[in-house]
């Protein structure tokens, strides 16, 4: 039988690139993807959903991307949303229209017919579960720790995907009959949850969640997306067969990964590069370059342990200098010194080949910079990161103190432009985690970048 080009993956070179976050998200993946997109034919998102907020600043204009791949600002590139993404179709349409109104060419957008759909009841469920965790049963008083989700329906949509019976995929939006049946099952399965919500939300809100209304809304949004829906797995393999290179964009971060992150304070998907295989159908073997994005300090949004957290004036100073407020929810991010134990773990999990160190400019002006280079747990030293949240919460960091640098570095364009102590800081980090530095970012702008080597 003749082989199609797309079925020859076993003989293809490992010429694809992945960009993955090495901390708890918001490392600057959007900026890294925008930089690397120039050398690739297609950019593909493989996990997460509109919980992601990826910022790209080009020519002084800031773009906040949630579902659309961050390579979209290069005209002519294919921008693919893979099957592993959970897609809020209304948010996607809004995002694409917003980009078009700013003159961005979105003709390269493609959406997997097998990506799962986030529906309004997923967001309601997300919110109800979070609210439940913050209440003492029966009293209404605040109590247990919520995960601090983005309330974008991510966990419930992935749960339905695994549960299967009522999950809706993008392809279903294009078939009224299939959609009607699936929504019918979903509304039946979620009836008690929706009753509880309806009692609090009132009649007008609850009326929006009738079968007929949901079917009409979902069909209408499906019609808008229809031109970009396709079998993206075969599309990507076709590109590979033609010798084209693909850039994979991770959402969230390694320490938020559902398996390898600080469970249960994680998101619902595989953020690590292993997610490329399930989330796009491209074998991870074809990814030869793995760029691990590491912010020069630590941040975290939502709950869960952050061993190096700074709850003092130093933390506030870093938060303000780094404008550490969520791209998606606007929440202030928790801030801490760089945790190299955590980053070294993420480098190991992803097989990182080079670092992209971001937000180094934010650390200018401190006399000393502390980095975490060891852990102690229950009085014993630990030579490794502890991904279990309960264990990590008991960790005491061991510090190495490095000299700070006073000069602003936003104008640096080569390594030799950096002050000696800034160089020393990044070299120390790279040596500790055992991989070379590929890129140093010294400001949000595309041009505020040092490409190494
Ligand atoms: P992502 O989710 O990993 O794409 O990261 P976000 O976009 O949510 O957060 C990173 C923030 O830092 C954004 O506001 C970026 O514009 C900004 N940023 C990226 N790199 C740098 C840098 O080197 N210096 C400064 N000051 N800001 C940066
Ligand atoms: P980007 O791609 C930072 C966090 C949430 C919460 C936990 C679970 O911009 O780096 P979810 O809504 O996913 O169920 O929330 O994960 N979280 C992120 N934090 N950046 C992100 O994405 C995040 N995506 C999810 O704050 O703690
Ligand atoms: Mg972000």
């Amino acid at each position: 039988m003749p082989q199609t080009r797309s079925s020859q993956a076993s003989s293809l070179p490992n010429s694809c690139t992945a960009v993955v976050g090495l901390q708890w998200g918001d490392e600057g993946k959007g900026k890294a993807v925008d930089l690397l997109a120039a050398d690739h034919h297609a950019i593909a998102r493989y996990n997460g959903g509109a919980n992601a907020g990826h910022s790209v600043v080009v020519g002084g204009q800031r773009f906040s991307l949630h579902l659309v791949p961050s390579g979209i600002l290069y005209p002519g590139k294919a921008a693919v949303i893979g099957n592993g993404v959970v897609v809020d179709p209304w948010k996607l349409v809004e995002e694409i229209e917003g980009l078009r109104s700013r003159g961005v060419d979105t003709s390269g957008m493609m959406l997997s017919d097998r990506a799962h759909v986030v529906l309004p009841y997923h967001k309601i469920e997300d919110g109800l579960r979070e609210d439940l965790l913050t209440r003492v049963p029966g009293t209404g008083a605040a109590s247990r720790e919520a995960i601090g989700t983005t309330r974008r329906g991510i966990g419930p949509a992935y749960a339905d995907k695994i549960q299967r019976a009522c999950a809706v995929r993008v392809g279903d939006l294009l078939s009224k009959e299939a959609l009607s049946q699936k929504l019918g099952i979903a509304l039946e399965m979620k009836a008690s949850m929706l009753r509880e919500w309806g009692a609090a939300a009132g009649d007008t809100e609850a009326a929006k969640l009738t079968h007929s209304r949901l079917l009409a809304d979902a069909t209408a949004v499906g019609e808008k997306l229809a031109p970009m829906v396709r079998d993206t797995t075969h599309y990507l393999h076709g590109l590979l067969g033609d010798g084209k290179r693909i850039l994979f964009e991770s959402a969230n971060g390694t320490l938020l990964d559902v398996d390898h992150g600080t469970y249960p304070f994680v998101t619902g998907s595989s953020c690590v590069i292993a997610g490329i295989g399930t989330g796009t159908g491209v074998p991870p073997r074809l990814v030869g370059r793995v760029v691990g994005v590491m912010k020069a300090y630590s941040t975290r949004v939502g709950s869960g342990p952050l061993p190096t957290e700074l709850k003092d004036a130093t933390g506030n100073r870093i938060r303000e200098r780094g404008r550490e407020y969520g791209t998606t929810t606007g929440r202030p991010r928790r801030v801490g010194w760089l945790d190299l134990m955590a980053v070294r773990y993420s480098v190991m999990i992803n097989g990182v080949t080079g670092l992209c160190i971001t937000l180094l400019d934010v650390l200018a002006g401190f006399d000393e910079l502390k980095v975490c280079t060891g852990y102690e747990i229950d009085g014993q030293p630990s030579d490794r990161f502890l991904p279990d949240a309960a264990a990590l919460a008991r960790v005491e960091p061991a510090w190495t103190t490095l000299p700070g640098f006073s000069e602003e570095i936003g104008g640096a364009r080569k390594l030799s432009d950096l002050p000696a102590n800034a160089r020393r800081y990044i070299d120390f980090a790279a040596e500790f985690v055992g991989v070379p530095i590929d890129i140093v970012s010294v400001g949000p702008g595309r041009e505020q970048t040092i490409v190494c080597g």
Side-chain angles (χ1 to χ4, degrees):
M1 207 172 29
Q3 275 207 318
T4 60
R5 264 198 334 261
S6 60
S7 66
Q8 296 169 344
S10 57
S11 60
L12 293 171
N14 62 347
S15 58
C16 297
T17 306
V19 167
V20 66
L22 300 181
Q23 293 149 313
W24 285 274
D26 302 327
E27 299 92 346
K29 298 176 293 295
K31 172 168 176 175
V33 167
D34 172 70
L35 286 170
L36 295 165
D39 298 334
H40 295 80
H41 187 271
I43 301 88
R45 271 277 304 267
Y46 63 89
N47 77 300
N51 52 352
H54 295 181
S55 314
V56 181
V57 179
V58 181
Q61 278 200 74
R62 175 173 285 270
F63 296 88
S64 296
L65 302 158
H66 301 282
L67 283 159
V68 172
S70 301
I72 195 72
L73 300 177
Y74 290 89
K77 306 274 179 196
V80 177
I81 300 179
N83 59 278
V85 175
V86 285
V87 178
D88 178 334
W90 294 277
K91 278 250 169 278
L92 178 58
V93 167
E94 187 187 310
E95 195 173 330
I96 291 172
E97 285 174 354
L99 288 166
R100 279 187 191 144
S101 72
R102 295 176 70 184
V104 177
D105 171 12
T106 59
S107 59
M109 282 294 310
M110 259 166 244
L111 172 60
S112 167
D113 55 354
R114 288 186 284 128
H116 280 249
V117 178
V118 178
L119 286 149
Y121 46 74
H122 292 128
K123 289 190 257 188
I124 292 167
E125 194 174 344
D126 201 354
L128 285 177
R129 282 171 180 268
E130 286 288 281
D131 291 344
L132 179 93
L133 284 169
T134 56
R135 276 200 311 271
V136 175
T139 70
S143 150
R144 295 160 291 182
E145 202 168 17
I147 291 171
T149 73
T150 57
R151 298 183 179 233
R152 296 285 163 108
I154 305 299
Y158 278 118
D160 276 358
K161 171 176 175 174
I162 304 301
Q163 198 278 338
R164 290 156 293 165
C166 67
V168 173
R169 304 204 288 185
V170 166
D172 299 323
L173 294 178
L174 312 185
S175 154
K176 202 162 183 174
E177 207 177 315
L179 185 61
S180 174
Q181 195 193 18
K182 291 203 168 179
L183 290 176
I185 300 170
L187 290 175
E188 239 181 277
M189 286 185 157
K190 294 171 190 292
S192 62
M193 184 271 291
L194 288 171
R195 258 197 308 280
E196 183 195 336
W197 166 79
D203 292 344
T204 331
E205 280 305 301
K208 291 182 192 161
L209 273 176
T210 60
H211 181 269
S212 57
R213 178 81 183 261
L214 212 46
L215 180 61
D217 288 354
T219 306
V221 80
E223 279 166 13
K224 288 190 182 169
L225 292 174
M228 64 182 75
V229 176
R230 62 161 79 192
D231 177 342
T232 51
T233 299
H234 270 95
Y235 173 77
L236 291 172
H237 277 270
L239 291 183
L240 293 166
D242 286 341
K244 305 267 171 56
R245 303 175 67 215
I246 301 167
L247 175 63
F248 294 99
E249 174 175 5
S250 177
N252 328 125
T254 298
L255 304 177
L256 293 171
D257 179 273
V258 69
D259 287 280
H260 301 288
T262 53
Y263 196 89
F265 299 103
V266 294
T267 187
S269 70
S270 295
C271 315
V272 299
I273 70 147
I276 292 170
T278 50
T280 67
V282 172
R285 189 189 66 74
L286 301 186
V287 179
R289 183 179 181 196
V290 180
V291 178
V293 188
M294 181 196 91
K295 191 176 272 198
Y297 47 92
S298 305
T299 60
R300 178 163 202 166
V301 199
S303 314
L306 180 60
T308 60
E309 186 161 10
L310 289 161
K311 294 182 177 169
D312 56 7
T314 305
N316 291 340
R317 190 167 150 198
I318 295 176
R319 183 178 303 107
E320 293 314 313
R321 274 186 66 85
R323 297 206 189 112
E324 294 294 356
Y325 294 88
T327 311
T328 297
T329 60
R331 290 180 289 179
R333 295 174 182 151
R334 297 158 62 197
V335 169
W337 291 119
L338 179 60
D339 184 344
L340 288 176
M341 296 290 281
V343 174
R344 187 169 65 183
Y345 165 81
S346 299
V347 164
M348 173 181 83
I349 297 289
N350 292 288
V352 167
T353 59
L355 293 177
C356 170
I357 301 179
T358 58
L359 291 113
L360 184 62
D361 53 299
V362 173
L363 295 183
F366 290 93
D367 293 338
E368 290 183 332
L369 300 170
K370 287 170 77 172
V371 289
C372 171
T373 48
Y375 283 165
E376 195 173 280
I377 177 158
D378 305 333
Q380 298 296 318
S382 168
D383 62 355
R384 65 187 62 165
F385 182 72
L386 301 162
D388 177 72
L392 193 64
R394 302 204 306 281
V395 148
E396 284 296 328
W399 301 104
T400 298
T401 303
L402 298 168
F405 52 96
S406 54
E407 306 86 334
E408 293 296 341
I409 58 170
R413 297 293 177 266
K414 46 189 192 308
L415 281 176
S416 57
D417 292 339
L418 290 176
N421 285 342
R423 273 297 288 277
R424 187 165 164 186
Y425 184 79
I426 56 174
D427 288 346
F428 181 88
E431 193 170 324
F432 189 92
V433 303
V435 279
I437 303 169
D438 279 2
I439 300 169
V440 181
S441 171
V442 293
R446 190 187 267 172
E447 71 292 351
Q448 291 181 290
T449 305
I450 300 169
V451 179
C452 311

